[in-house]
Amino acid sequence: ALVAAPAVSYAQQAAPATPAAPAASGKQALSLDHLLTWKSIRTPQASNDGKWFAYVLAPNEGDADVVLRPAAAAGKELKFAIGGPPAGGGGGPFGAAAASPVSLSGNGRWAAFTVYPRTADAKRARRDRRTLSNKLSVVELATGTRRDFDRVRAFRFAGDKSDWLAVHHATPDAPAGGGAGGAGGAGSSAAPPGGGTVLELVNLADGTPVTMAGVAEFAFDESGRWIAYTIDSRDLIGNAVQLRELATGITRSLDAQKASYRRLAWVDSGDALSALRSTVDSATNDTSYAVIGWSRLAAATPVKVEVTSKSAGIDGGLVVSGDRAPR
């Protein structure tokens, strides 16, 4: 119901505010300090098999926890401290934002989450102008066994049935991000030009991790069969788009030029991939872009398509934009 408010004179409006009197019951009124410590559930998600769900339990300001809860009534809840994430749950105080700091693998066996510096440590580091980095923890849901990785920029699980995890590391002197991800698509790991770093491929079930240097971006296909990644160096030497089959370890180069490659994107289903390639014209100091795409990647010779401002059908001074990812 709507209740009409009594009329208030200008003198009453201009009168100085007085502190609120304590409640008759003696209970304390809520203050800003209470609101800062009020915890909320962020980025909830369920595993594909419905047996687990995960979320971040975080105050408006301060350190948070990741909670992993089984759907079974007799299941044991797992809880891990993750330091101080930013408000909203994504990204990290020392890196690029991401959709969620926690992710469940497509096969329901693993949970991975970003561990941030503690709030108190982060404040001291900012005051002292020191750099702190995020970590990554991976937990086997059936046993609670935990495995940690240092200096993590982004991470992503491969496919709905795979035990593979990609861990994108930051350089020792650079802050890490906190990018998470689901089964497929691109990792939240875009780096500045020449900012390629180590990408670590880990088979969580068994096997020795595989590392690739100078990686700027990476993306799993939906099935978890392939990982595509770009190599990026400051002098552009060795830059390329490369494709690796996870089961066999066979790697091949799809395109290699003295150029930069960005915005990897897989088709929703199937083996087709696209990217943007940029080159700088030193004479005009201008950057030109090309869309490059490949289909039938499982074939010995994939079908390649390239679109530039000089391609047939593009006229009127139109050029490929570098502001959008090809789809």
Side-chain angles (χ1 to χ4, degrees):
L2 296 177
V3 180
V8 179
S9 69
Y10 176 80
Q12 289 174 309
Q13 293 178 1
T18 57
S25 62
K27 295 182 179 179
Q28 185 180 3
L30 286 175
S31 67
L32 178 60
D33 290 339
H34 294 118
L35 297 178
L36 291 178
T37 59
W38 202 311
K39 294 184 178 181
S40 60
I41 291 175
R42 303 177 186 174
T43 60
Q45 56 188 282
S47 61
N48 289 344
D49 58 13
K51 294 182 179 180
W52 287 86
F53 68 100
Y55 57 88
V56 174
L57 185 63
N60 291 313
E61 183 178 299
D63 295 338
D65 298 294
V66 157
V67 180
L68 309 173
R69 299 188 64 176
K76 180 181 178 182
E77 177 183 284
L78 303 175
K79 191 174 183 180
F80 302 91
I82 62 167
F94 302 98
S100 172
V102 59
S103 181
L104 297 171
S105 64
N107 59 10
R109 294 187 60 185
W110 316 93
F113 49 88
T114 304
V115 179
Y116 307 96
R118 294 189 307 166
T119 302
D121 295 337
K123 289 181 179 179
R124 281 194 295 268
R126 285 193 292 267
R127 185 175 61 247
D128 300 338
R129 297 187 178 183
R130 292 184 294 109
T131 298
L132 299 178
S133 61
N134 298 334
K135 296 183 179 182
L136 174 69
S137 289
V138 181
V139 175
E140 185 175 13
L141 295 173
T143 64
T145 304
R146 178 174 176 175
R147 181 175 180 179
D148 295 328
F149 300 85
D150 293 326
R151 296 199 320 270
V152 175
R153 172 189 289 177
F155 66 91
R156 200 165 188 87
F157 288 109
D160 287 341
K161 300 179 181 180
S162 175
D163 290 310
W164 285 94
L165 172 72
V167 182
H168 201 187
H169 292 278
T171 56
D173 57 347
S188 305
S189 60
T197 59
V198 172
L199 178 69
E200 188 174 3
L201 283 176
V202 185
N203 188 328
L204 296 170
D206 55 41
T208 302
V210 178
T211 58
M212 291 90 77
V215 174
E217 291 186 17
F218 67 94
F220 289 110
D221 75 316
E222 187 180 50
S223 69
R225 177 181 179 182
W226 310 95
I227 182 172
Y229 56 96
T230 65
I231 301 298
D232 191 38
S233 62
R234 294 189 182 279
D235 57 8
L236 304 181
I237 296 176
N239 285 8
V241 176
Q242 296 192 342
L243 182 71
R244 181 184 180 94
E245 188 174 27
L246 295 175
T248 64
I250 296 175
T251 302
R252 52 180 165 167
S253 179
L254 299 177
D255 195 85
Q257 292 189 23
K258 201 169 184 180
S260 296
Y261 297 89
R262 290 288 184 273
R263 300 184 183 275
L264 292 172
W266 285 93
V267 71
D268 288 340
S269 60
D271 57 348
L273 174 72
S274 63
L276 279 181
R277 183 183 65 214
S278 64
T279 55
V280 178
D281 186 340
S282 57
T284 62
N285 197 28
D286 191 21
T287 301
S288 60
Y289 293 89
V291 175
I292 47 178
W294 306 267
S295 62
R296 303 178 188 174
L297 290 170
T301 305
V303 177
K304 182 179 179 180
V305 175
E306 184 170 322
V307 180
T308 70
S309 60
K310 299 179 181 179
S311 297
I314 298 183
D315 51 22
L318 297 178
V319 297
V320 175
S321 171
D323 296 330
R324 300 276 181 162
R327 300 179 184 275

